[in-house]
Amino acid sequence: MTTDAGAPWLVAGLGNPGPEYASNRHNVGFMVADLLAERIGARFKRHGKAQAQVVEGRIGPPGPANRRVILAKPMSFMNVSGGPVTALRDFYKVPVGNIVAIHDELDIDYGVLRLKLGGGDNGHNGLKSITKALGSDYHRVRFGIGRPPGRMPVADFVLRDFSSTERKELDYFVDRATDAVEALVIEGLERAQSAYNS
């Protein structure tokens, strides 16, 4: 699966809409998308054809490495993220190889990043929904949140806010994940992996 250099990129931060979810571990995709929008210098707006908030802009230096990017935050709730992502894919005519999903990952230690193309959903309902709609050949930026302590159910863990200890480093990790997304879009997967897969 190769990316199309001339086509736009669709970067979807996954999360749940609403203030009660804003600081949850499950919403780290939204946090990265918000920082990307801030760097572009634009605000998210409701999209007329998809249940999502979007920002359209460009990232990268002037010249051939400059990329057109649509940032998205699906407003449909995590478990049905595939609908808004598919609608945006169709509207902007984005090839699947130019789609990036940013999401929380239980099986990676807190703050660790893994960039990859394709693969399974590892029980993540947002990815499950996107894969059902589009197939699995899209990029993922996996943001480690670690496993729940003791016998805490996974659903409770991901829908809780980061702990006070975790919050001390959260801004740094979100910043690094945002750098990784930019590197993926501008420089390609292999170079981004070598720089950010820790």
Side-chain angles (χ1 to χ4, degrees):
M1 170 65 60
T2 56
T3 58
D4 182 340
W9 282 76
L10 173 58
V11 177
L14 303 188
N16 287 309
E20 68 271 35
Y21 299 106
S23 301
N24 288 178
R25 292 180 177 92
H26 223 20
N27 271 42
V28 75
F30 276 15
M31 296 174 198
V32 175
D34 284 337
L35 184 54
L36 278 163
E38 193 179 306
R39 290 184 182 183
I40 287 172
R43 288 174 172 264
F44 277 99
K45 294 180 180 152
R46 285 190 62 156
H47 193 272
K49 303 285 186 185
Q51 196 178 355
Q53 292 186 353
V54 299
V55 161
E56 296 181 54
R58 302 192 79 87
I59 63 173
N66 193 260
R67 303 277 183 261
R68 181 174 171 231
V69 174
I70 296 96
L71 304 178
K73 294 193 295 185
M75 292 286 115
S76 58
F77 286 96
M78 178 71 84
N79 295 3
V80 285
S81 300
V85 172
T86 302
L88 292 170
R89 187 269 320 255
D90 293 346
F91 183 84
Y92 290 104
K93 298 180 171 49
V94 180
V96 173
N98 282 30
I99 295 174
V100 182
I102 311 163
H103 64 92
D104 58 307
E105 179 62 65
L106 285 160
D107 286 337
I108 304 174
D109 289 341
Y110 174 58
V112 173
L113 295 176
R114 292 274 190 281
L115 283 68
K116 64 183 280 195
L117 174 64
D121 56 59
N122 207 21
H124 192 287
N125 289 326
L127 295 183
K128 201 174 287 184
S129 177
I130 294 171
T131 297
K132 187 176 178 186
L134 298 176
S136 63
D137 289 333
Y138 56 93
H139 291 85
R140 299 101 190 273
V141 174
R142 304 157 74 204
F143 186 110
I145 60 169
R147 301 292 307 179
R151 298 187 176 194
M152 182 188 292
V154 165
D156 292 348
F157 180 68
V158 299
L159 293 175
R160 285 202 180 165
D161 291 358
F162 287 99
S163 70
S164 55
T165 305
E166 288 169 333
R167 282 199 298 271
K168 289 174 184 169
E169 294 184 291
L170 182 59
D171 287 348
Y172 167 77
F173 288 140
V174 168
D175 194 67
R176 191 165 183 272
T178 306
D179 290 344
V181 174
E182 290 181 340
L184 169 60
V185 171
I186 296 163
E187 300 174 28
L189 179 61
E190 283 186 21
R191 291 183 72 171
Q193 283 176 323
S194 65
Y196 293 98
N197 277 17
S198 34

